[in-house]
Amino acid sequence: MNKWLFSMLVILTTFLMGSSFAIGKIGLSYTTPLLLVGIRFSLAGVIMAIAVRLLRIPHPKAFFQWIKIAVIGSFQTAGVMSCIFLSLRTISAGQSSILTFMNPLLVVIFGTIFMKLSYSLRQWTGVILGFIGVFITLGAKLSFEIGSILAFLSAVSWAIGTLLIKKWGNEFNTWVLTAYQMLFGGIILLMGSLILENPYFRINGTSISIVLWLAIMASIVQFAGWFYLLQKGDPGKTSAFLFLAPFFGVLSGWLILDETINWYVTIGGLCIFTGIFLVNWTSSRKMEAGSLETSLNK
């Protein structure tokens, strides 16, 4: 693969991941959090579901396979995105993105505890450094804001979703799994909005543009670009570029929302990025490659 094309796709996909935090925060001016992400992923899921049907890609036959996809969607889409967008009501887009992209670090911990996977000293060093970075990012305080807790829970849900895909993902075509876990997750989010919120949506050019951007560019295009990169390059080395996503999250929050970047957020973010890099950087095709490949079904 041409190195310039590879570099451009890496920048595009990680930019779409990171900038969705700032764009999503703007969207909260026009609608409620759960309704916004529910519309986003239901729309993206419907579009992708139609596409995989038209392309005649094999679908699951067994009922319990659909249940597995729904469970994955409840963690990978519904759990992650509800926590992210609820956190954006009280903390900055940059801080939310940093905490959310801790998920590779949590995958190592949960994988060791629940799936008896083994990791190298380098990867455990990355985990420790990442958690030190989180502590610094939060201003070295133990009294976390509700938004910080929610952003951390989004990373927890993402890590669980990653491990579930690691366990069940081989049963499904990647595109079919991506389409329907988004659709199931979007439906769960819409139901959650009806139960937990007083949903409203102010329809205008800006709100519609935000929804379309999040559904098409930040979901469908992002997935397509990233999966292409994983297929063409070494998955382990390619996945290491995930550390660019929280960087773009902080940068877009500063550029788009004029958010202040405190010195401790910068230092903590650098620790987290370095930790994620240490966890991911490998030439093997073991757990971290597979888990991070599947963690992109957000």
Side-chain angles (χ1 to χ4, degrees), residues 38 41-42 182-192:
F41 284 100
S42 295
M182 283 199 302
L183 181 57
F184 282 125
I187 293 171
I188 293 171
L189 288 164
L190 289 176
M191 293 173 59

Side-chain angles (χ1 to χ4, degrees), residues 1-11 228-229 232-233 241:
M1 184 178 181
N2 182 281
K3 66 178 181 180
W4 294 107
L5 176 59
F6 181 88
S7 300
M8 289 175 62
L9 283 176
V10 164
I11 293 172
Y228 181 77
L229 288 170
K232 295 297 182 180
F241 289 103

